Amino acid sequence: MKGKLQILVCDYVGNSQQWLENFTIPKNYEVVGTITPQSDKKLILENSWDYLLIFEQDARQFFDSMVKFMNIAAERVIYAFEILSWTTHPTAAYSIVNPNEKGGGVFIAL
């Protein structure tokens, strides 16, 4: 892996910090910003990130629509709590998720 992956976090309900602390390999990525209901959404358009990591479970349709409206490539979007989303992003999964932590990293969180 060349350098750290740049991650933009989208977290409207406040789950990301604990999840990132528990299930990831911090030396392999850098959080370049966090989008919340109160934050400036410009970060998402600045394109200074590799993956948009979305921490929402109950509003998938809303976030799918937002991503599509903003012309963000699906290859750059990961839903943190969905195992299928990680399996379609193997580079991010192998770089970010710690498979040895808490019995399997992201997969145990699901």
Side-chain angles (χ1 to χ4, degrees):
M1 180 175 68
K2 294 181 181 180
K4 292 184 175 190
L5 287 176
Q6 305 296 300
I7 304 299
L8 179 59
V9 171
C10 182
D11 186 3
Y12 276 38
V13 293
N15 292 325
S16 64
Q17 184 175 355
Q18 182 179 3
W19 189 92
L20 289 168
E21 288 172 5
N22 289 333
F23 301 115
T24 64
I25 308 170
K27 68 179 182 175
N28 290 349
Y29 70 90
E30 176 184 0
V31 175
V32 296
T34 300
I35 297 172
T36 66
Q38 298 80 26
S39 69
D40 187 349
K41 310 305 183 276
K42 286 192 306 186
L43 285 170
I44 207 165
L45 297 174
E46 290 178 359
N47 207 20
S48 60
W49 45 272
D50 298 307
Y51 293 99
L52 175 62
L53 195 54
I54 300 176
F55 283 86
E56 309 307 322
Q57 291 176 294
D58 299 327
R60 174 69 185 254
Q61 187 174 4
F62 168 78
F63 286 98
D64 281 346
S65 296
M66 179 187 75
V67 164
K68 185 175 180 177
F69 176 77
M70 299 180 101
N71 291 322
I72 298 170
E75 299 83 34
R76 298 178 73 197
V77 178
I78 302 170
Y79 287 87
F81 298 123
E82 295 182 14
I83 195 166
L84 182 59
S85 190
W86 285 103
T87 60
T88 59
H89 296 85
T91 299
Y94 288 117
S95 299
I96 298 170
V97 177
N98 185 350
N100 299 315
E101 187 66 28
K102 307 282 185 203
V106 69
F107 307 107
I108 196 71
L110 301 171

